[in-house]
Amino acid sequence: MAKFATYYFKYNHEFAPYEWGNRQKHLAALFAEDSNIVFGEGEPTEEQRAQGIPYRRVFEHRIYHLKCNPDIILMQIANSIDVPMEKKFEHKVEKNEPSLFVIIDNRKGLRTIAIQNRRKAFSAPKRVADILAGEINQVLFSRYCYSLTILPEYYPEDLFKAWEEQQKNANALRFPSSYEMSDGEIMRKVEELKMQGKEFFDDCLIPSILTMATEAKKAKYRGKYTVMPDDKKTALYVDKTTVFMRNLLTLARATNEPVEIVTKGGGTFRCFVESDGGDTDKIVHHKFDDRLLEMLFKGKRPDGQKAESEDIDKAEAMIVEMLGGMKHVSEDVEEAEDVA
């Protein structure tokens, strides 16, 4: 499973932007075909200029539009790296082109961009974000006099604060059901938290929860603990009092795992439980099988067989589902608000 860091576009309303209302159409046009935009860095040589190459180093890419919604754009971008090799006692340099995937949600009003975190290709998702923003801004500003910024989406630093803000819309909470830490490490952390005297601390159920998690892992089950109100028509109000909720909150804090607030509109907020300062700058990550993304380009399933239409539909549905959990709604400054 590959990790995808959550980023989002924010359009910058510069002085007298041209066709500001069509900004999402402008972005769509850039990604309509592979050849519509070139990503790279560095000043080109004279020979490269003569060939129409705008950068000294070009990052090759290819584009796929989801059939279920062409405004969701899948891109694969490669980083050509010189790898020193030794063959038959001779030193040679071979080209290696590791790549990663970028998913852009350009549906109306949405600004999400998911960047695969694959260090073999690029040192960090931020480097990819800077490469994309650099070229996109050159085109947008020269044509329409506005620009955009690609920013990371961070975990909210406090679950209770976010929960209170979403009080009327909160429909459910999702807690992690598998943990990177061992049971022993978790219980030692729980003992440390006990000394802090938090009002929501409770550890009476934690050994049982960990036993369930261990058995689920052995049986190769994945999932999350979803907590919803008994009456589906009511909101899930902030609860620090029940034994059940106090144990889940304590366990999430001990394992340093985020909790998801799910709203009635389908939005998801991922938060840490009273996160300490060191966790407030963590970028939200999602996991996805990148072999399915490769399948959309190659037309072959991970097992090498031809991808049928139902395979494509299933993979695209999973992409849409992931984007639903990452949904970033527009925060642009509207033109009318900028008029003095």
Side-chain angles (χ1 to χ4, degrees):
M1 298 295 284
K3 277 190 174 183
F4 283 80
T6 306
Y7 281 72
Y8 64 95
F9 292 113
K10 186 171 185 180
Y11 289 93
N12 304 317
H13 190 277
E14 312 287 358
F15 178 73
Y18 180 57
E19 293 186 6
W20 169 256
N22 292 326
R23 55 197 179 279
Q24 283 196 252
K25 290 182 180 178
H26 298 157
L27 186 67
L30 291 181
F31 289 95
E33 301 289 342
D34 296 352
S35 58
N36 285 16
I37 190 167
V38 178
F39 298 108
E41 62 184 6
E43 289 295 321
T45 62
E46 291 186 9
E47 183 180 354
Q48 287 175 315
R49 280 198 181 95
Q51 296 173 0
I53 301 173
Y55 294 103
R56 180 180 292 273
R57 185 180 185 193
V58 173
F59 299 108
E60 298 294 339
H61 73 280
R62 56 181 180 174
I63 290 167
Y64 173 91
H65 294 263
L66 266 62
K67 293 180 174 58
C68 66
N69 195 319
D71 288 328
I72 297 176
I73 304 157
L74 174 62
M75 183 178 76
Q76 190 172 21
I77 184 168
N79 187 5
S80 180
I81 301 171
D82 291 338
V83 181
M85 304 282 288
E86 185 175 332
K87 288 186 177 180
K88 295 183 179 179
F89 309 106
E90 295 289 335
H91 289 282
K92 295 183 179 181
V93 173
E94 302 237 345
K95 287 285 185 185
N96 185 28
E97 292 188 338
S99 65
L100 56 74
F101 292 101
V102 176
I103 306 172
I104 300 170
D105 191 347
N106 195 41
R107 289 175 291 179
K108 186 176 180 181
L110 299 182
R111 303 286 185 264
T112 311
I113 174 169
I115 304 175
Q116 186 179 357
N117 190 355
R118 189 180 185 221
R119 294 195 178 191
K120 183 179 178 181
F122 292 90
S123 57
K126 184 181 184 303
R127 174 153 158 69
V128 180
D130 290 343
I131 291 168
L132 299 183
E135 177 60 25
I136 292 171
N137 278 332
Q138 281 194 45
V139 177
L140 293 182
F141 197 82
S142 64
R143 293 181 185 176
Y144 309 108
C145 297
Y146 69 83
S147 62
L148 58 74
T149 309
I150 300 179
L151 299 169
E153 188 84 56
Y154 293 120
Y155 285 109
E157 60 182 276
D158 191 309
L159 169 67
F160 298 117
K161 181 179 178 181
W163 197 354
E164 286 169 0
E165 290 174 353
Q166 297 296 324
Q167 196 72 286
K168 294 181 181 179
N169 299 315
N171 187 49
L173 291 187
R174 285 200 291 252
F175 291 86
S177 61
S178 60
Y179 314 100
E180 298 293 333
M181 300 165 62
S182 68
D183 289 2
E185 290 172 325
I186 293 171
M187 293 309 297
R188 283 192 290 273
K189 182 63 176 178
V190 169
E191 285 299 314
E192 291 177 17
L193 295 177
K194 183 185 293 187
M195 306 302 293
Q196 297 181 13
K198 294 290 183 180
E199 60 177 324
F200 61 85
F201 179 87
D202 198 322
D203 61 349
C204 66
L205 300 178
I206 289 179
S208 299
I209 296 174
L210 291 178
T211 300
M212 289 287 288
T214 300
E215 292 305 317
K217 191 173 182 179
K218 286 181 182 177
K220 297 183 178 180
Y221 287 113
R222 296 179 60 199
K224 294 180 182 292
Y225 298 118
T226 301
V227 180
M228 301 179 68
D230 189 42
D231 183 353
K232 293 183 180 180
K233 296 181 181 180
T234 62
L236 185 64
Y237 293 106
V238 176
D239 174 18
K240 297 182 183 181
T241 61
T242 62
V243 172
F244 178 60
M245 185 60 73
R246 289 204 309 262
N247 274 268
L248 290 175
L249 292 169
T250 300
L251 183 56
R253 189 157 185 250
T255 56
N256 198 30
E257 294 282 354
V259 179
E260 299 175 356
I261 302 175
V262 184
T263 65
K264 294 177 182 177
T268 304
F269 298 82
R270 288 169 175 78
C271 319
F272 285 98
V273 180
E274 292 194 337
S275 170
D276 59 37
D279 292 325
T280 57
D281 63 347
K282 283 190 175 180
I283 298 175
V284 179
H285 276 82
H286 294 254
K287 290 184 179 180
F288 196 89
D289 189 347
D290 56 338
R291 296 176 303 170
L292 298 178
L293 305 180
E294 190 74 37
M295 179 185 73
L296 297 178
F297 282 108
K298 290 187 173 180
K300 291 184 178 181
R301 299 194 314 237
D303 62 6
Q305 298 298 312
K306 178 184 175 183
E308 304 295 342
S309 58
E310 54 266 29
D311 298 317
I312 303 296
D313 293 344
K314 185 177 179 180
E316 290 193 357
M318 292 172 69
I319 293 172
V320 173
E321 182 181 1
M322 182 177 76
L323 290 174
M326 305 169 80
K327 186 165 60 175
H328 193 98
V329 181
S330 169
E331 292 183 0
D332 307 333
V333 179
E334 294 299 332
E335 188 173 20
E337 296 175 2
D338 202 53
V339 177

